[in-house]
């Protein structure tokens, strides 16, 4: 019989669906709102999340939503003031929670980062479970540059991911394991391929040492892609081929699903890359899905702009991006879907 963790993980990567990452920390949402000239007040953040989560029909394309601490405790703007986690689960969308407390400089290793948040995590997970969270997220960041990443950085981040994942599973919560190889920099796709491979191997080794059940996690990686400043940008097909081949070597088949982050790619490019992977490769050991933040939210945020009169326009933009990414799950997305909109 499949375990409860496996059931949740499989529902998170169910066919045709993906995860909305709406777990921006206070600092990150402030910079997103700044871009549209909106002050980041608690009520504006609530109104924005309400707009996204009440989009009619989004549950056809969205399996789960990653929330931030504040949002997990906030209520929708309906008359009943339904808590956001319940609003989502009533639609069949699984609520999740970001549990790391942020990225910090790794002492002694200039330019490298390590993620914090393990202290007190068991108690926080228990509270989050009571508030309705069925899965959690922890983001580790690997920076590519001259002489980096070092083994020390990859090792420290893999260790933290494994301890986080083991704690989640102990609490009956599915861990999203997110090792992000940053696309910032002028490195080429081959360098990204190499760093991604080393990182995935270290992460799965740490998960094994900590006895994390691989059928009860979702992997959230970055794609194998050219650095954003690299003069030679690899084609969509090359990104798809390099990414999937790397994962075939390094991601165990027990993992139910891989849900990519968008990491600064444009919304359309992130969709095209996922589409090409699912189009070019037939049966794979794991589902290939999305867990996009910016690539799902940039369009609705712009369309809404904080203006109540543009509430519907924001929802339409969100619905459209969710639908395009759902099509990319089966390799049936085409650029015409953008112009048709
Ligand atoms: P992006 O898709 O914007 O990279 O965000 C996904 C995420 O959750 C990062 O932790």
């Amino acid at each position: 019989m499949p375990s409860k963790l496996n059931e949740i993980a499989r529902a998170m990567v169910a066919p045709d669906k993906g995860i909305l990452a709406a777990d921006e920390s206070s600092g990150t949402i402030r910079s997103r709102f700044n871009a549209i000239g909106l002050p980041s007040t608690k009520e504006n953040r609530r109104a924005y999340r309400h707009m996204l989560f009440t989009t009619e029909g989004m549950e056809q394309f969205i399996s789960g939503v990653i929330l931030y601490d504040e949002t997990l405790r906030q209520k929708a703007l309906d008359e009943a003031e339904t808590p956001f986690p319940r609003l989502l689960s009533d639609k069949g969308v699984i609520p999740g929670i970001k549990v790391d407390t942020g990225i910090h400089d790794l002492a002694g290793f200039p330019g490298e980062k390590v993620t914090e948040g393990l202290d007190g995590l068991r108690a926080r997970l228990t509270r989050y479970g009571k508030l309705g969270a069925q899965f959690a997220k922890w983001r580790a960041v690997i920076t590519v540059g001259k002489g980096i990443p070092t083994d020390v950085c990859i090792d420290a981040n893999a260790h933290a991911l494994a301890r986080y994942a083991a704690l989640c599973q102990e609490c009956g919560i599915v861990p999203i394991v997110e090792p992000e190889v940053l696309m910032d920099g002028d490195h080429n796709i081959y360098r990204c391929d190499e760093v991604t491979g080393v990182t995935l191997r270290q992460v799965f080794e740490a998960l094994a040492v900590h006895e994390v059940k691989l059928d009860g996690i979702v992997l959230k990686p970055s794609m194998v892609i050219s650095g954003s400043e690299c003069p030679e940008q690899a084609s969509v097909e090359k990104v798809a081929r390099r990414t999937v081949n790397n994962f075939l070597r390094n991601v165990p088949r027990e993992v139910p699903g891989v849900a990519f982050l968008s990491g600064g790619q444009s919304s359309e490019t992130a969709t095209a890359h996922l589409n090409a992977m699912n189009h070019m490769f037939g049966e794979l050991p794991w589902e290939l899905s999305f867990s996009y933040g910016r690539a799902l939210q940039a369009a609705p945020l712009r369309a809404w702009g904080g203006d109540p009169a543009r509430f519907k326009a924001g929802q339409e933009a969100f619905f459209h991006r969710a639908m395009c990414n759902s099509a990319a799950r089966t390799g049936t997305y085409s650029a015409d879907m953008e112009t048709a909109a």
Side-chain angles (χ1 to χ4, degrees):
M1 220 179 67
S3 66
K4 183 79 190 144
L5 288 170
N6 178 247
E7 265 174 40
I8 300 168
R10 282 187 297 122
M12 289 163 67
V13 293
D16 303 326
K17 295 185 188 178
I19 297 166
L20 165 66
D23 59 326
E24 295 83 4
S25 62
S26 310
T28 304
I29 197 74
R30 188 176 313 113
S31 66
R32 302 276 187 271
F33 279 9
N34 273 346
I36 57 161
L38 186 70
S40 182
T41 63
K42 201 168 177 173
E43 281 310 304
N44 282 341
R45 295 193 289 272
R46 181 180 174 202
Y48 175 59
R49 268 72 185 241
H50 176 87
M51 185 272 289
L52 291 176
F53 304 163
T54 57
T55 299
E56 213 170 298
M58 66 99 153
E59 59 275 18
Q60 301 163 71
F61 315 124
I62 300 295
S63 56
V65 177
I66 317 174
L67 304 169
Y68 185 58
D69 185 276
E70 175 185 275
T71 323
L72 188 75
R73 301 164 195 277
Q74 253 173 349
K75 296 176 169 63
L77 294 161
D78 57 357
E79 265 187 22
E81 298 211 316
T82 314
F84 279 134
R86 180 133 52 80
L87 180 100
L88 293 169
S89 45
D90 284 352
K91 294 181 180 225
V93 175
I94 311 170
I97 177 77
K98 169 194 176 77
V99 301
D100 68 70
T101 57
I103 312 297
H104 297 268
D105 290 341
L106 179 63
F109 292 83
E112 299 201 285
K113 303 285 179 192
V114 69
T115 306
E116 293 188 358
L118 286 171
D119 287 357
L121 182 56
R122 180 181 274 121
R124 281 196 294 131
L125 285 166
T126 307
R127 281 202 298 278
Y128 288 144
K130 289 191 180 130
L131 288 167
Q134 295 192 55
F135 68 89
K137 173 189 124 171
W138 178 287
R139 173 174 175 252
V141 165
I142 306 295
T143 312
V144 185
K146 200 161 182 275
I148 61 171
T150 60
D151 285 347
V152 175
C153 171
I154 297 175
D155 199 44
N157 279 290
H159 174 85
L161 275 169
R163 284 187 55 202
Y164 141 81
L167 278 166
C168 285
Q169 291 191 336
E170 182 191 276
C171 294
I173 289 180
V174 170
I176 291 186
V177 174
E178 180 177 357
E180 175 172 4
V181 176
L182 289 183
M183 62 187 274
D184 304 351
D186 61 3
H187 55 277
N188 61 24
I189 189 169
Y190 306 106
R191 177 80 177 126
C192 178
D193 204 351
E194 177 190 19
V195 173
T196 302
V198 174
T199 302
L200 289 174
R201 286 192 289 279
Q202 286 281 94
V203 167
F204 282 104
E205 191 177 321
L207 293 175
V209 168
H210 289 257
E211 303 195 1
V212 172
K213 295 169 207 69
L214 295 186
D215 70 348
I217 72 163
V218 169
L219 180 70
K220 175 164 172 165
S222 38
M223 297 177 189
V224 174
I225 203 169
S226 317
S228 51
E229 307 299 323
C230 178
E232 197 191 327
Q233 291 290 312
S235 67
V236 170
E237 288 70 27
K238 188 162 184 167
V239 168
R241 200 170 44 249
R242 286 260 156 192
T243 303
V244 177
N245 283 328
N246 187 312
F247 287 21
L248 283 169
R249 291 192 301 273
N250 296 309
V251 179
R253 53 188 312 118
E254 294 93 315
V255 175
V258 172
F260 290 102
L261 57 91
S262 59
Q265 302 178 48
S266 77
S267 305
E268 292 78 8
T269 308
T271 308
H273 282 151
L274 178 65
N275 184 67
M277 291 180 216
N278 281 308
H279 183 75
M280 289 162 58
F281 291 81
E283 277 292 289
L284 287 166
W286 359 258
E287 295 287 332
L288 276 189
S289 186
F290 59 92
S291 173
Y292 294 158
R294 284 162 283 180
L296 277 169
Q297 292 187 59
L301 185 62
R302 230 178 299 118
W304 173 66
D307 179 355
R310 282 152 56 194
F311 183 86
K312 274 271 160 251
Q315 292 194 325
E316 280 162 18
F318 175 52
F319 185 91
H320 175 71
R321 285 261 52 88
M323 184 178 67
C324 288
N325 285 303
S326 168
R329 288 284 273 105
T330 48
T332 54
Y333 163 80
S334 77
D336 300 349
M337 288 175 72
E338 305 293 351
T339 39

